[in-house]
Amino acid sequence: CQSALTGAPMRIEPLAASSHLHTTSSGLPVVYDAEALETYFSTPDGAEALTGRLGKLARVTSGLGVRVGTTFLALLAGLAPPSVGPTALEDALAASPVREAFEELGPTFVKFGQALGSRPDLAGERLALQLRALQAEMAPFATADARAVIQAEFGEVAAAPLLRALPATPAAAASIGQVYKV
């Protein structure tokens, strides 16, 4: 059969016969398999990926933690200036850095933020309001990254017609992808 989008020839294979569907181009399993994950994270590439992700998580959350922690300690110790009222901690949490941290940490955290944004009873009204922006206002990722994924998934030859037609900017972005109008 042919792709309706690119006209490139396509073939349909059973999932079990198509090993590239089980891992990313770097070898990370895309379907949960404890043994395959252990094997991947035992490799130098897997260990580097995990270390990099943990480093990013620590960097992003530590900045947010410092802001919230210093506000909390100042309130607790009575060192906050008179202009800082009892809502100072809520203000620190409701500020856009919480939303920005979720955005920077990626789709899993964005989905968590979206869920919290729909639950003001859990997150508080002010934080929920900030997190609701994750439901409708996501920044797009680089088109160069989208092109690289398309080429890796389809192969250079099959991706060529699509990549020629792909505009420089997406029409819309969401938490787990973006849309291009071709």
Side-chain angles (χ1 to χ4, degrees):
C1 74
Q2 278 187 313
S3 165
L5 183 62
T6 65
M10 296 177 60
R11 64 182 171 171
I12 299 172
E13 296 180 19
L15 185 60
S18 186
S19 62
H20 73 279
L21 295 175
H22 296 287
T23 62
T24 64
S25 58
S26 66
L28 177 66
V30 295
V31 177
Y32 181 77
D33 177 339
E35 189 175 310
L37 287 167
E38 183 177 347
T39 300
Y40 173 75
F41 286 113
S42 297
T43 67
D45 287 344
E48 184 179 332
L50 183 59
T51 303
R53 183 65 177 158
L54 291 174
K56 183 175 185 175
L57 182 62
R59 180 182 51 78
V60 171
T61 57
S62 65
L64 187 59
V66 167
R67 178 184 175 141
V68 172
T70 54
T71 302
F72 178 73
L73 289 174
L75 288 170
L76 191 63
L79 300 174
S83 62
V84 176
T87 61
L89 187 59
E90 187 179 345
D91 288 343
L93 282 169
S96 62
V98 174
R99 185 191 77 243
E100 292 165 0
F102 281 147
E103 287 175 347
E104 189 173 344
L105 290 171
T108 302
F109 286 87
V110 169
K111 288 296 183 190
F112 179 66
Q114 288 172 336
L116 276 178
S118 66
R119 294 293 309 265
D121 57 318
L122 295 176
E125 279 294 331
R126 299 170 95 187
L127 180 57
L129 181 63
Q130 280 293 320
L131 295 177
R132 276 196 288 273
L134 295 172
Q135 297 170 352
E137 303 169 20
M138 290 298 301
F141 56 85
T143 297
D145 293 342
R147 289 176 175 278
V149 168
I150 291 168
Q151 189 166 0
E153 292 297 320
F154 288 95
E156 192 171 332
V157 174
L162 177 59
L163 293 176
R164 281 194 297 275
L166 195 69
T169 57
S175 59
I176 58 171
Q178 55 197 33
V179 176
Y180 289 88
K181 186 175 181 179
V182 290

